[in-house]
PDB file of all heavy atoms in Angstrom:
ATOM      1  N   ILE A  41       0.857  -1.235  -0.028  1.00 90.00           N
ATOM      2  CA  ILE A  41      -0.042   0.032   0.002  1.00 90.00           C
ATOM      3  C   ILE A  41       0.905   1.179   0.000  1.00 90.00           C
ATOM      4  O   ILE A  41       0.513   2.235  -0.710  1.00 90.00           O
ATOM      5  CB  ILE A  41      -1.013   0.002   1.199  1.00 90.00           C
ATOM      6  CG1 ILE A  41      -2.040  -1.152   1.066  1.00 90.00           C
ATOM      7  CG2 ILE A  41      -1.669   1.399   1.412  1.00 90.00           C
ATOM      8  CD1 ILE A  41      -2.848  -1.349   2.258  1.00 90.00           C
ATOM      9  N   ASP A  42       1.922   1.204   0.852  1.00 88.00           N
ATOM     10  CA  ASP A  42       2.831   2.391   0.824  1.00 88.00           C
ATOM     11  C   ASP A  42       3.606   2.619  -0.509  1.00 88.00           C
ATOM     12  O   ASP A  42       3.596   3.627  -0.949  1.00 88.00           O
ATOM     13  CB  ASP A  42       3.920   2.211   1.931  1.00 88.00           C
ATOM     14  CG  ASP A  42       3.337   2.323   3.348  1.00 88.00           C
ATOM     15  OD1 ASP A  42       2.259   2.768   3.478  1.00 88.00           O
ATOM     16  OD2 ASP A  42       3.956   1.685   4.334  1.00 88.00           O
ATOM     17  N   ALA A  43       3.932   1.443  -1.044  1.00 87.00           N
ATOM     18  CA  ALA A  43       4.628   1.614  -2.375  1.00 87.00           C
ATOM     19  C   ALA A  43       3.700   2.036  -3.421  1.00 87.00           C
ATOM     20  O   ALA A  43       4.025   2.897  -4.192  1.00 87.00           O
ATOM     21  CB  ALA A  43       5.101   0.135  -2.719  1.00 87.00           C
ATOM     22  N   ARG A  44       2.434   1.560  -3.388  1.00 87.00           N
ATOM     23  CA  ARG A  44       1.448   1.987  -4.225  1.00 87.00           C
ATOM     24  C   ARG A  44       1.075   3.549  -4.174  1.00 87.00           C
ATOM     25  O   ARG A  44       0.949   4.280  -5.008  1.00 87.00           O
ATOM     26  CB  ARG A  44       0.166   1.126  -4.285  1.00 87.00           C
ATOM     27  CG  ARG A  44      -0.862   1.448  -5.300  1.00 87.00           C
ATOM     28  CD  ARG A  44      -0.207   1.438  -6.664  1.00 87.00           C
ATOM     29  NE  ARG A  44      -1.231   1.777  -7.723  1.00 87.00           N
ATOM     30  CZ  ARG A  44      -0.823   2.307  -8.945  1.00 87.00           C
ATOM     31  NH1 ARG A  44       0.298   2.381  -9.282  1.00 87.00           N
ATOM     32  NH2 ARG A  44      -1.845   2.678  -9.786  1.00 87.00           N
ATOM     33  N   THR A  45       1.030   3.851  -2.822  1.00 88.00           N
ATOM     34  CA  THR A  45       0.749   5.271  -2.589  1.00 88.00           C
ATOM     35  C   THR A  45       1.912   6.146  -3.085  1.00 88.00           C
ATOM     36  O   THR A  45       1.595   7.142  -3.597  1.00 88.00           O
ATOM     37  CB  THR A  45       0.612   5.448  -1.014  1.00 88.00           C
ATOM     38  OG1 THR A  45      -0.432   4.661  -0.598  1.00 88.00           O
ATOM     39  CG2 THR A  45       0.406   6.909  -0.624  1.00 88.00           C
ATOM     40  N   ARG A  46       3.249   5.618  -2.870  1.00 84.00           N
ATOM     41  CA  ARG A  46       4.223   6.350  -3.385  1.00 84.00           C
ATOM     42  C   ARG A  46       4.199   6.441  -5.001  1.00 84.00           C
ATOM     43  O   ARG A  46       4.456   7.668  -5.597  1.00 84.00           O
ATOM     44  CB  ARG A  46       5.574   5.823  -2.966  1.00 84.00           C
ATOM     45  CG  ARG A  46       5.901   5.997  -1.444  1.00 84.00           C
ATOM     46  CD  ARG A  46       7.406   5.735  -1.232  1.00 84.00           C
ATOM     47  NE  ARG A  46       7.652   4.340  -1.489  1.00 84.00           N
ATOM     48  CZ  ARG A  46       7.576   3.338  -0.649  1.00 84.00           C
ATOM     49  NH1 ARG A  46       7.114   3.517   0.619  1.00 84.00           N
ATOM     50  NH2 ARG A  46       7.796   2.053  -0.944  1.00 84.00           N
ATOM     51  N   GLU A  47       3.870   5.321  -5.507  1.00 83.00           N
ATOM     52  CA  GLU A  47       3.736   5.319  -7.038  1.00 83.00           C
ATOM     53  C   GLU A  47       2.789   6.308  -7.374  1.00 83.00           C
ATOM     54  O   GLU A  47       2.900   7.125  -8.391  1.00 83.00           O
ATOM     55  CB  GLU A  47       3.387   3.874  -7.495  1.00 83.00           C
ATOM     56  CG  GLU A  47       4.553   2.835  -7.330  1.00 83.00           C
ATOM     57  CD  GLU A  47       4.040   1.364  -7.640  1.00 83.00           C
ATOM     58  OE1 GLU A  47       3.025   1.352  -8.083  1.00 83.00           O
ATOM     59  OE2 GLU A  47       4.892   0.571  -7.527  1.00 83.00           O
ATOM     60  N   LEU A  48       1.552   6.254  -6.717  1.00 86.00           N
ATOM     61  CA  LEU A  48       0.412   7.120  -7.214  1.00 86.00           C
ATOM     62  C   LEU A  48       0.906   8.698  -6.954  1.00 86.00           C
ATOM     63  O   LEU A  48       0.711   9.451  -7.831  1.00 86.00           O
ATOM     64  CB  LEU A  48      -0.747   6.923  -6.365  1.00 86.00           C
ATOM     65  CG  LEU A  48      -1.527   5.588  -6.602  1.00 86.00           C
ATOM     66  CD1 LEU A  48      -2.724   5.381  -5.568  1.00 86.00           C
ATOM     67  CD2 LEU A  48      -2.038   5.652  -8.063  1.00 86.00           C
ATOM     68  N   SER A  49       1.748   8.855  -5.907  1.00 83.00           N
ATOM     69  CA  SER A  49       2.208  10.208  -5.624  1.00 83.00           C
ATOM     70  C   SER A  49       3.205  10.498  -6.708  1.00 83.00           C
ATOM     71  O   SER A  49       3.049  11.842  -7.213  1.00 83.00           O
ATOM     72  CB  SER A  49       2.847  10.361  -4.254  1.00 83.00           C
ATOM     73  OG  SER A  49       3.352  11.549  -4.051  1.00 83.00           O
ATOM     74  N   GLU A  50       3.996   9.603  -7.074  1.00 75.00           N
ATOM     75  CA  GLU A  50       5.051   9.957  -8.109  1.00 75.00           C
ATOM     76  C   GLU A  50       4.258  10.146  -9.461  1.00 75.00           C
ATOM     77  O   GLU A  50       4.655  11.088 -10.249  1.00 75.00           O
ATOM     78  CB  GLU A  50       5.980   8.790  -8.234  1.00 75.00           C
ATOM     79  CG  GLU A  50       7.048   8.735  -7.022  1.00 75.00           C
ATOM     80  CD  GLU A  50       7.785   7.487  -6.959  1.00 75.00           C
ATOM     81  OE1 GLU A  50       7.579   6.626  -7.891  1.00 75.00           O
ATOM     82  OE2 GLU A  50       8.608   7.355  -6.034  1.00 75.00           O
ATOM     83  N   GLU A  51       3.203   9.283  -9.678  1.00 77.00           N
ATOM     84  CA  GLU A  51       2.611   9.481 -10.887  1.00 77.00           C
ATOM     85  C   GLU A  51       1.775  10.870 -10.985  1.00 77.00           C
ATOM     86  O   GLU A  51       1.754  11.511 -11.987  1.00 77.00           O
ATOM     87  CB  GLU A  51       1.508   8.393 -11.096  1.00 77.00           C
ATOM     88  CG  GLU A  51       2.151   6.944 -11.302  1.00 77.00           C
ATOM     89  CD  GLU A  51       1.085   5.808 -11.322  1.00 77.00           C
ATOM     90  OE1 GLU A  51      -0.115   6.205 -11.112  1.00 77.00           O
ATOM     91  OE2 GLU A  51       1.536   4.686 -11.315  1.00 77.00           O
ATOM     92  N   ARG A  52       1.258  11.219  -9.756  1.00 80.00           N
ATOM     93  CA  ARG A  52       0.611  12.610  -9.759  1.00 80.00           C
ATOM     94  C   ARG A  52       1.564  13.674 -10.010  1.00 80.00           C
ATOM     95  O   ARG A  52       1.431  14.612 -10.735  1.00 80.00           O
ATOM     96  CB  ARG A  52      -0.019  12.897  -8.400  1.00 80.00           C
ATOM     97  CG  ARG A  52      -1.350  12.018  -8.151  1.00 80.00           C
ATOM     98  CD  ARG A  52      -2.158  12.550  -7.033  1.00 80.00           C
ATOM     99  NE  ARG A  52      -1.400  12.258  -5.813  1.00 80.00           N
ATOM    100  CZ  ARG A  52      -1.633  11.115  -5.140  1.00 80.00           C
ATOM    101  NH1 ARG A  52      -2.559  10.268  -5.473  1.00 80.00           N
ATOM    102  NH2 ARG A  52      -1.089  11.048  -3.965  1.00 80.00           N
ATOM    103  N   ALA A  53       2.809  13.517  -9.362  1.00 75.00           N
ATOM    104  CA  ALA A  53       3.952  14.525  -9.488  1.00 75.00           C
ATOM    105  C   ALA A  53       4.307  14.455 -11.054  1.00 75.00           C
ATOM    106  O   ALA A  53       4.543  15.571 -11.604  1.00 75.00           O
ATOM    107  CB  ALA A  53       5.012  14.252  -8.672  1.00 75.00           C
ATOM    108  N   ALA A  54       4.479  13.245 -11.734  1.00 69.00           N
ATOM    109  CA  ALA A  54       4.882  13.164 -12.998  1.00 69.00           C
ATOM    110  C   ALA A  54       3.871  13.770 -13.962  1.00 69.00           C
ATOM    111  O   ALA A  54       4.022  14.500 -14.891  1.00 69.00           O
ATOM    112  CB  ALA A  54       5.059  11.678 -13.429  1.00 69.00           C
ATOM    113  N   LEU A  55       2.472  13.496 -13.599  1.00 75.00           N
ATOM    114  CA  LEU A  55       1.514  14.083 -14.401  1.00 75.00           C
ATOM    115  C   LEU A  55       1.475  15.594 -14.232  1.00 75.00           C
ATOM    116  O   LEU A  55       1.267  16.246 -15.268  1.00 75.00           O
ATOM    117  CB  LEU A  55       0.058  13.544 -13.975  1.00 75.00           C
ATOM    118  CG  LEU A  55      -1.100  14.062 -14.672  1.00 75.00           C
ATOM    119  CD1 LEU A  55      -1.015  13.738 -16.140  1.00 75.00           C
ATOM    120  CD2 LEU A  55      -2.323  13.492 -13.996  1.00 75.00           C
ATOM    121  N   GLN A  56       1.628  16.032 -13.056  1.00 76.00           N
ATOM    122  CA  GLN A  56       1.723  17.527 -12.925  1.00 76.00           C
ATOM    123  C   GLN A  56       2.981  18.112 -13.650  1.00 76.00           C
ATOM    124  O   GLN A  56       2.799  19.119 -14.338  1.00 76.00           O
ATOM    125  CB  GLN A  56       1.875  17.843 -11.323  1.00 76.00           C
ATOM    126  CG  GLN A  56       1.926  19.457 -11.173  1.00 76.00           C
ATOM    127  CD  GLN A  56       2.054  19.759  -9.483  1.00 76.00           C
ATOM    128  OE1 GLN A  56       2.071  18.741  -8.746  1.00 76.00           O
ATOM    129  NE2 GLN A  56       2.221  20.921  -9.198  1.00 76.00           N
ATOM    130  N   THR A  57       4.161  17.465 -13.687  1.00 66.00           N
ATOM    131  CA  THR A  57       5.269  17.860 -14.371  1.00 66.00           C
ATOM    132  C   THR A  57       4.912  17.788 -15.850  1.00 66.00           C
ATOM    133  O   THR A  57       5.214  18.863 -16.513  1.00 66.00           O
ATOM    134  CB  THR A  57       6.429  16.898 -14.050  1.00 66.00           C
ATOM    135  OG1 THR A  57       6.781  16.978 -12.702  1.00 66.00           O
ATOM    136  CG2 THR A  57       7.589  17.419 -14.871  1.00 66.00           C
ATOM    137  N   SER A  58       4.283  16.792 -16.132  1.00 65.00           N
ATOM    138  CA  SER A  58       3.866  16.635 -17.684  1.00 65.00           C
ATOM    139  C   SER A  58       3.050  17.726 -18.037  1.00 65.00           C
ATOM    140  O   SER A  58       3.168  18.420 -19.189  1.00 65.00           O
ATOM    141  CB  SER A  58       3.216  15.294 -17.945  1.00 65.00           C
ATOM    142  OG  SER A  58       2.918  15.276 -19.373  1.00 65.00           O
ATOM    143  N   ASN A  59       2.111  18.199 -17.247  1.00 68.00           N
ATOM    144  CA  ASN A  59       1.084  19.207 -17.544  1.00 68.00           C
ATOM    145  C   ASN A  59       1.849  20.484 -17.642  1.00 68.00           C
ATOM    146  O   ASN A  59       1.610  21.427 -18.461  1.00 68.00           O
ATOM    147  CB  ASN A  59      -0.025  19.314 -16.507  1.00 68.00           C
ATOM    148  CG  ASN A  59      -1.029  18.160 -16.600  1.00 68.00           C
ATOM    149  OD1 ASN A  59      -1.061  17.499 -17.636  1.00 68.00           O
ATOM    150  ND2 ASN A  59      -1.667  17.837 -15.491  1.00 68.00           N
ATOM    151  N   GLU A  60       2.757  20.676 -16.557  1.00 64.00           N
ATOM    152  CA  GLU A  60       3.482  21.948 -16.603  1.00 64.00           C
ATOM    153  C   GLU A  60       4.395  22.072 -17.847  1.00 64.00           C
ATOM    154  O   GLU A  60       4.492  23.132 -18.538  1.00 64.00           O
ATOM    155  CB  GLU A  60       4.433  22.028 -15.375  1.00 64.00           C
ATOM    156  CG  GLU A  60       3.555  22.268 -14.184  1.00 64.00           C
ATOM    157  CD  GLU A  60       4.508  22.023 -12.923  1.00 64.00           C
ATOM    158  OE1 GLU A  60       5.719  21.794 -13.052  1.00 64.00           O
ATOM    159  OE2 GLU A  60       4.169  22.214 -11.742  1.00 64.00           O
ATOM    160  N   GLU A  61       4.992  20.834 -18.258  1.00 60.00           N
ATOM    161  CA  GLU A  61       5.905  20.936 -19.502  1.00 60.00           C
ATOM    162  C   GLU A  61       4.928  21.092 -20.765  1.00 60.00           C
ATOM    163  O   GLU A  61       5.387  21.769 -21.688  1.00 60.00           O
ATOM    164  CB  GLU A  61       6.632  19.566 -19.603  1.00 60.00           C
ATOM    165  CG  GLU A  61       7.707  19.376 -18.590  1.00 60.00           C
ATOM    166  CD  GLU A  61       8.337  18.082 -18.654  1.00 60.00           C
ATOM    167  OE1 GLU A  61       7.939  17.245 -19.527  1.00 60.00           O
ATOM    168  OE2 GLU A  61       9.366  17.938 -18.084  1.00 60.00           O
ATOM    169  N   LEU A  62       3.655  20.528 -20.729  1.00 60.00           N
ATOM    170  CA  LEU A  62       2.705  20.752 -21.762  1.00 60.00           C
ATOM    171  C   LEU A  62       2.421  22.295 -21.963  1.00 60.00           C
ATOM    172  O   LEU A  62       2.320  22.903 -23.072  1.00 60.00           O
ATOM    173  CB  LEU A  62       1.586  19.917 -21.693  1.00 60.00           C
ATOM    174  CG  LEU A  62       0.563  20.042 -22.807  1.00 60.00           C
ATOM    175  CD1 LEU A  62       1.197  19.761 -24.120  1.00 60.00           C
ATOM    176  CD2 LEU A  62      -0.748  19.227 -22.478  1.00 60.00           C
ATOM    177  N   GLU A  63       2.202  22.912 -20.822  1.00 63.00           N
ATOM    178  CA  GLU A  63       1.887  24.298 -20.733  1.00 63.00           C
ATOM    179  C   GLU A  63       3.144  25.049 -21.357  1.00 63.00           C
ATOM    180  O   GLU A  63       2.815  26.065 -22.089  1.00 63.00           O
ATOM    181  CB  GLU A  63       1.488  24.742 -19.427  1.00 63.00           C
ATOM    182  CG  GLU A  63       0.135  24.204 -18.864  1.00 63.00           C
ATOM    183  CD  GLU A  63      -0.264  24.569 -17.421  1.00 63.00           C
ATOM    184  OE1 GLU A  63       0.672  25.298 -16.854  1.00 63.00           O
ATOM    185  OE2 GLU A  63      -1.237  24.170 -16.898  1.00 63.00           O
ATOM    186  N   ALA A  64       4.215  24.738 -20.809  1.00 57.00           N
ATOM    187  CA  ALA A  64       5.367  25.341 -21.247  1.00 57.00           C
ATOM    188  C   ALA A  64       5.729  25.223 -22.700  1.00 57.00           C
ATOM    189  O   ALA A  64       6.072  26.133 -23.474  1.00 57.00           O
ATOM    190  CB  ALA A  64       6.627  24.980 -20.442  1.00 57.00           C
ATOM    191  N   PHE A  65       5.386  24.098 -23.164  1.00 58.00           N
ATOM    192  CA  PHE A  65       5.540  23.773 -24.611  1.00 58.00           C
ATOM    193  C   PHE A  65       4.529  24.553 -25.359  1.00 58.00           C
ATOM    194  O   PHE A  65       4.954  25.239 -26.522  1.00 58.00           O
ATOM    195  CB  PHE A  65       5.197  22.167 -24.843  1.00 58.00           C
ATOM    196  CG  PHE A  65       5.396  21.794 -26.313  1.00 58.00           C
ATOM    197  CD1 PHE A  65       6.587  21.657 -26.907  1.00 58.00           C
ATOM    198  CD2 PHE A  65       4.276  21.816 -27.046  1.00 58.00           C
ATOM    199  CE1 PHE A  65       6.621  21.333 -28.259  1.00 58.00           C
ATOM    200  CE2 PHE A  65       4.321  21.428 -28.483  1.00 58.00           C
ATOM    201  CZ  PHE A  65       5.625  21.125 -29.058  1.00 58.00           C
ATOM    202  N   ASN A  66       3.331  24.577 -24.974  1.00 56.00           N
ATOM    203  CA  ASN A  66       2.338  25.454 -25.655  1.00 56.00           C
ATOM    204  C   ASN A  66       2.790  26.939 -25.621  1.00 56.00           C
ATOM    205  O   ASN A  66       2.656  27.683 -26.690  1.00 56.00           O
ATOM    206  CB  ASN A  66       0.990  25.378 -25.045  1.00 56.00           C
ATOM    207  CG  ASN A  66       0.357  24.055 -25.196  1.00 56.00           C
ATOM    208  OD1 ASN A  66       0.703  23.374 -26.142  1.00 56.00           O
ATOM    209  ND2 ASN A  66      -0.613  23.687 -24.214  1.00 56.00           N
ATOM    210  N   TYR A  67       3.337  27.396 -24.582  1.00 56.00           N
ATOM    211  CA  TYR A  67       3.883  28.703 -24.449  1.00 56.00           C
ATOM    212  C   TYR A  67       4.963  28.957 -25.497  1.00 56.00           C
ATOM    213  O   TYR A  67       5.053  29.971 -26.115  1.00 56.00           O
ATOM    214  CB  TYR A  67       4.246  29.162 -23.061  1.00 56.00           C
ATOM    215  CG  TYR A  67       5.003  30.416 -22.925  1.00 56.00           C
ATOM    216  CD1 TYR A  67       4.257  31.639 -22.848  1.00 56.00           C
ATOM    217  CD2 TYR A  67       6.364  30.517 -23.052  1.00 56.00           C
ATOM    218  CE1 TYR A  67       4.730  32.883 -22.830  1.00 56.00           C
ATOM    219  CE2 TYR A  67       6.916  31.713 -22.852  1.00 56.00           C
ATOM    220  CZ  TYR A  67       6.178  32.944 -22.765  1.00 56.00           C
ATOM    221  OH  TYR A  67       6.778  34.224 -22.620  1.00 56.00           O
ATOM    222  N   SER A  68       5.854  27.989 -25.564  1.00 53.00           N
ATOM    223  CA  SER A  68       7.166  28.088 -26.370  1.00 53.00           C
ATOM    224  C   SER A  68       6.651  28.108 -27.861  1.00 53.00           C
ATOM    225  O   SER A  68       7.237  28.870 -28.600  1.00 53.00           O
ATOM    226  CB  SER A  68       7.957  26.802 -26.154  1.00 53.00           C
ATOM    227  OG  SER A  68       9.163  26.900 -27.064  1.00 53.00           O
ATOM    228  N   VAL A  69       5.624  27.207 -28.135  1.00 55.00           N
ATOM    229  CA  VAL A  69       5.249  27.166 -29.475  1.00 55.00           C
ATOM    230  C   VAL A  69       4.617  28.522 -29.874  1.00 55.00           C
ATOM    231  O   VAL A  69       4.871  29.030 -30.989  1.00 55.00           O
ATOM    232  CB  VAL A  69       4.142  26.088 -29.717  1.00 55.00           C
ATOM    233  CG1 VAL A  69       3.491  26.342 -31.141  1.00 55.00           C
ATOM    234  CG2 VAL A  69       4.860  24.679 -29.671  1.00 55.00           C
ATOM    235  N   SER A  70       3.905  29.161 -28.986  1.00 52.00           N
ATOM    236  CA  SER A  70       3.277  30.308 -29.178  1.00 52.00           C
ATOM    237  C   SER A  70       4.114  31.564 -29.054  1.00 52.00           C
ATOM    238  O   SER A  70       3.755  32.698 -29.493  1.00 52.00           O
ATOM    239  CB  SER A  70       1.966  30.466 -28.248  1.00 52.00           C
ATOM    240  OG  SER A  70       2.401  30.561 -26.954  1.00 52.00           O
ATOM    241  N   HIS A  71       5.233  31.483 -28.429  1.00 52.00           N
ATOM    242  CA  HIS A  71       5.998  32.538 -28.077  1.00 52.00           C
ATOM    243  C   HIS A  71       7.497  32.317 -28.714  1.00 52.00           C
ATOM    244  O   HIS A  71       7.915  32.996 -29.548  1.00 52.00           O
ATOM    245  CB  HIS A  71       6.119  32.846 -26.637  1.00 52.00           C
ATOM    246  CG  HIS A  71       6.999  34.047 -26.295  1.00 52.00           C
ATOM    247  ND1 HIS A  71       8.328  33.907 -25.953  1.00 52.00           N
ATOM    248  CD2 HIS A  71       6.634  35.416 -26.214  1.00 52.00           C
ATOM    249  CE1 HIS A  71       8.810  35.252 -25.609  1.00 52.00           C
ATOM    250  NE2 HIS A  71       7.764  36.100 -25.810  1.00 52.00           N
ATOM    251  N   ASP A  72       8.169  31.280 -28.014  1.00 56.00           N
ATOM    252  CA  ASP A  72       9.500  31.091 -28.545  1.00 56.00           C
ATOM    253  C   ASP A  72       9.849  30.830 -29.932  1.00 56.00           C
ATOM    254  O   ASP A  72      10.701  31.267 -30.583  1.00 56.00           O
ATOM    255  CB  ASP A  72      10.318  30.034 -27.636  1.00 56.00           C
ATOM    256  CG  ASP A  72      10.446  30.519 -26.124  1.00 56.00           C
ATOM    257  OD1 ASP A  72       9.909  31.621 -25.817  1.00 56.00           O
ATOM    258  OD2 ASP A  72      11.031  29.776 -25.377  1.00 56.00           O
ATOM    259  N   LEU A  73       8.950  29.904 -30.430  1.00 58.00           N
ATOM    260  CA  LEU A  73       8.966  29.505 -31.867  1.00 58.00           C
ATOM    261  C   LEU A  73       8.454  30.591 -32.796  1.00 58.00           C
ATOM    262  O   LEU A  73       8.957  30.959 -33.892  1.00 58.00           O
ATOM    263  CB  LEU A  73       8.246  28.252 -32.134  1.00 58.00           C
ATOM    264  CG  LEU A  73       8.957  26.943 -31.558  1.00 58.00           C
ATOM    265  CD1 LEU A  73       8.159  25.730 -31.915  1.00 58.00           C
ATOM    266  CD2 LEU A  73      10.255  26.887 -32.250  1.00 58.00           C
ATOM    267  N   MET A  74       7.331  31.308 -32.268  1.00 59.00           N
ATOM    268  CA  MET A  74       6.635  32.215 -33.170  1.00 59.00           C
ATOM    269  C   MET A  74       7.654  33.526 -33.312  1.00 59.00           C
ATOM    270  O   MET A  74       7.451  34.178 -34.287  1.00 59.00           O
ATOM    271  CB  MET A  74       5.290  32.603 -32.585  1.00 59.00           C
ATOM    272  CG  MET A  74       4.253  31.592 -32.727  1.00 59.00           C
ATOM    273  SD  MET A  74       4.068  31.022 -34.413  1.00 59.00           S
ATOM    274  CE  MET A  74       3.405  32.537 -35.174  1.00 59.00           C
ATOM    275  N   THR A  75       8.377  33.841 -32.280  1.00 59.00           N
ATOM    276  CA  THR A  75       9.190  34.972 -32.386  1.00 59.00           C
ATOM    277  C   THR A  75      10.243  34.873 -33.503  1.00 59.00           C
ATOM    278  O   THR A  75      10.241  35.756 -34.310  1.00 59.00           O
ATOM    279  CB  THR A  75       9.948  35.185 -31.047  1.00 59.00           C
ATOM    280  OG1 THR A  75       9.067  35.433 -29.967  1.00 59.00           O
ATOM    281  CG2 THR A  75      10.933  36.407 -31.146  1.00 59.00           C
ATOM    282  N   PRO A  76      11.000  33.776 -33.533  1.00 63.00           N
ATOM    283  CA  PRO A  76      11.958  33.573 -34.813  1.00 63.00           C
ATOM    284  C   PRO A  76      11.024  33.585 -36.065  1.00 63.00           C
ATOM    285  O   PRO A  76      11.507  34.105 -37.213  1.00 63.00           O
ATOM    286  CB  PRO A  76      12.757  32.501 -34.582  1.00 63.00           C
ATOM    287  CG  PRO A  76      12.017  31.730 -33.566  1.00 63.00           C
ATOM    288  CD  PRO A  76      11.201  32.753 -32.684  1.00 63.00           C
ATOM    289  N   VAL A  77       9.835  32.991 -36.027  1.00 65.00           N
ATOM    290  CA  VAL A  77       9.169  32.908 -37.330  1.00 65.00           C
ATOM    291  C   VAL A  77       8.661  34.315 -37.714  1.00 65.00           C
ATOM    292  O   VAL A  77       8.763  34.675 -38.957  1.00 65.00           O
ATOM    293  CB  VAL A  77       7.847  32.067 -37.064  1.00 65.00           C
ATOM    294  CG1 VAL A  77       6.899  32.201 -38.235  1.00 65.00           C
ATOM    295  CG2 VAL A  77       8.201  30.517 -36.941  1.00 65.00           C
ATOM    296  N   ARG A  78       8.285  35.132 -36.762  1.00 63.00           N
ATOM    297  CA  ARG A  78       7.858  36.478 -37.184  1.00 63.00           C
ATOM    298  C   ARG A  78       9.144  37.291 -37.665  1.00 63.00           C
ATOM    299  O   ARG A  78       9.067  38.043 -38.665  1.00 63.00           O
ATOM    300  CB  ARG A  78       7.305  37.204 -36.009  1.00 63.00           C
ATOM    301  CG  ARG A  78       5.858  36.739 -35.607  1.00 63.00           C
ATOM    302  CD  ARG A  78       5.224  37.690 -34.656  1.00 63.00           C
ATOM    303  NE  ARG A  78       5.903  37.621 -33.370  1.00 63.00           N
ATOM    304  CZ  ARG A  78       5.537  36.873 -32.357  1.00 63.00           C
ATOM    305  NH1 ARG A  78       4.478  35.998 -32.500  1.00 63.00           N
ATOM    306  NH2 ARG A  78       6.078  36.930 -31.198  1.00 63.00           N
ATOM    307  N   HIS A  79      10.257  37.010 -37.096  1.00 56.00           N
ATOM    308  CA  HIS A  79      11.548  37.615 -37.523  1.00 56.00           C
ATOM    309  C   HIS A  79      11.855  37.193 -38.958  1.00 56.00           C
ATOM    310  O   HIS A  79      12.148  38.111 -39.881  1.00 56.00           O
ATOM    311  CB  HIS A  79      12.747  37.325 -36.666  1.00 56.00           C
ATOM    312  CG  HIS A  79      12.756  38.090 -35.347  1.00 56.00           C
ATOM    313  ND1 HIS A  79      13.753  37.991 -34.417  1.00 56.00           N
ATOM    314  CD2 HIS A  79      11.698  38.751 -34.757  1.00 56.00           C
ATOM    315  CE1 HIS A  79      13.503  38.805 -33.427  1.00 56.00           C
ATOM    316  NE2 HIS A  79      12.225  39.328 -33.631  1.00 56.00           N
TER     317      HIS A  79
END
């Protein structure tokens, strides 16, 4: 149970990280990539 709880916690953390990275990716696509495209 403890191991599974840790796994779920890690999975939640990984999911949160993935969501954060997805948000950052969306921002990068809309900002970092679009800036040189506009240039």
